[in-house]
């Protein structure tokens, strides 16, 4: 099993809603990532978790709240988003330190978010 | 700071023709280099990677890339393009940190294949 699974695939929400994006992997990876990708742009790193602890936060606004409840799951909680937050949100996983890390990230297919 | 430049925003080739996508990087140490491909509305799929050893690396779908330290380049090649290769291609550079792999992506090259 070499998949990173993201749900939902599509999400439409209002600016006052609270929603969550979910990501799951069963490759035994201990690092998980959230990226944001706007149309025709490269992915931009938002957060990195290593061994379920937040290790990198790329100065993301607090209306995005990540959570890593266990080694296989990664959530992104969304609250009070703005229309400019509409984008494809990609989850990825990789080996972390102590796992023979060879550097590559494995990506899910993304959650397409539209904020009205 | 690490950075990646992909100078070609769009490339159009005929099916069966050869392909080369350019990538130049800036990194303070020996880099980890990657090429990813993204079809519309999809996630990113790893084509190949380099972090040490032979500077010519083979990947999936018949792609290869050559690491040239003197030119800070990691160009992607394919001898004969198929229509299904039409997609967005991203070069990425990164390094291992204590808490994961911090990859920086180039702006991408959109490949169009003419039948």
């Amino acid at each position: 099993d070499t998949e990173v699974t993201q749900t939902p695939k599509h999400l439409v929400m209002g600016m006052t809603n609270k929603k969550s994006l979910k990501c799951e992997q069963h490759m035994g990876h201990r690092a998980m990532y959230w990226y944001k990708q706007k149309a025709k742009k490269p992915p931009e790193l938002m957060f990195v978790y290593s061994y379920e602890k937040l290790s990198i936060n790329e100065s993301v606004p607090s209306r995005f709240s990540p959570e890593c409840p266990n080694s296989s799951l990664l959530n992104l909680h969304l609250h009070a988003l703005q229309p400019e937050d509409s984008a494809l949100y990609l989850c990825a996983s990789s080996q972390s330190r102590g796992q023979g890390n060879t550097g590559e990230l494995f990506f899910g297919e993304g959650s397409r978010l539209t904020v009205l | 700071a690490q950075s990646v430049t992909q100078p070609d925003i769009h490339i159009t080739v005929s099916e069966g023709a050869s392909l080369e996508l350019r990538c130049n990087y800036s990194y303070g140490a020996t880099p980890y280099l990657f090429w990813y491909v993204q079809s519309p509305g999809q996630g990113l799929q790893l084509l190949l990677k380099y972090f040490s050893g032979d500077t010519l690396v083979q990947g999936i779908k018949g792609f290869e890339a050559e690491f040239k330290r003197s030119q800070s380049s990691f160009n992607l090649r394919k001898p004969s393009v198929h229509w299904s290769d039409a997609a967005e291609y991203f070069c990425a550079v990164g390094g291992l940190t204590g808490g994961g792999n911090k990859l920086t992506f180039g702006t991408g090259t959109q490949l169009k294949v003419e039948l």
Side-chain angles (χ1 to χ4, degrees), chain A residues 13-30:
Chain A
M13 60 186 293
M15 290 190 285
T16 58
N17 292 158
K18 287 185 180 181
K19 298 286 184 182
S20 297
L21 305 181
K22 298 185 183 299
C23 175
E24 187 170 8
Q25 59 89 13
H26 294 289
M27 293 180 278
H29 292 164
R30 300 307 295 273

Side-chain angles (χ1 to χ4, degrees), chain B residues 57-70:
Chain B
V57 294
Q58 303 296 321
I60 63 171
K61 304 185 180 187
F63 286 93
E64 67 177 26
E66 186 171 12
F67 171 61
K68 293 186 177 180
R69 184 186 301 275
S70 62

Side-chain angles (χ1 to χ4, degrees), chain A residues 31 33 35 37 41-43 45 48 50 55-56 58 88 90 94-97 101-105 107-109 112, chain B residues 32 34 36 38 41-46 49 51 88 90 96-103 105-108 110:
Chain A
Y33 308 74
Y35 278 82
Q37 186 180 26
K41 298 292 186 182
L45 182 64
V48 181
S50 179
S55 62
I56 298 176
E58 293 287 273
L88 182 68
L90 293 163
S94 77
Q95 297 163 323
S96 188
R97 65 185 183 282
N101 192 352
T102 54
E104 67 265 41
L105 273 59
F107 284 86
E109 294 196 346
R112 173 78 58 190
Chain B
Y32 285 61
F34 309 88
Y36 283 87
Q38 185 177 34
Q42 301 293 310
L44 279 73
Q45 181 182 24
L46 180 69
K49 65 182 181 184
F51 57 90
E88 186 88 22
F90 291 99
L96 306 185
T97 71
N101 309 329
K102 192 167 183 178
L103 295 192
F105 288 85
T107 50
Q110 181 72 46

Side-chain angles (χ1 to χ4, degrees), chain A residues 37-77:
Chain A
Q37 186 180 26
K38 302 282 280 184
K40 306 295 185 184
K41 298 292 186 182
E44 295 178 347
L45 182 64
M46 300 174 73
F47 304 103
V48 181
Y49 274 82
S50 179
Y51 290 89
E52 296 86 70
K53 294 191 188 309
L54 184 65
S55 62
I56 298 176
N57 178 341
E58 293 287 273
S59 302
V60 178
S62 60
R63 58 186 183 268
F64 295 91
S65 176
E67 177 195 21
C68 190
N70 61 53
S71 61
S72 300
L73 294 174
L74 183 67
N75 298 321
L76 186 62
H77 302 299

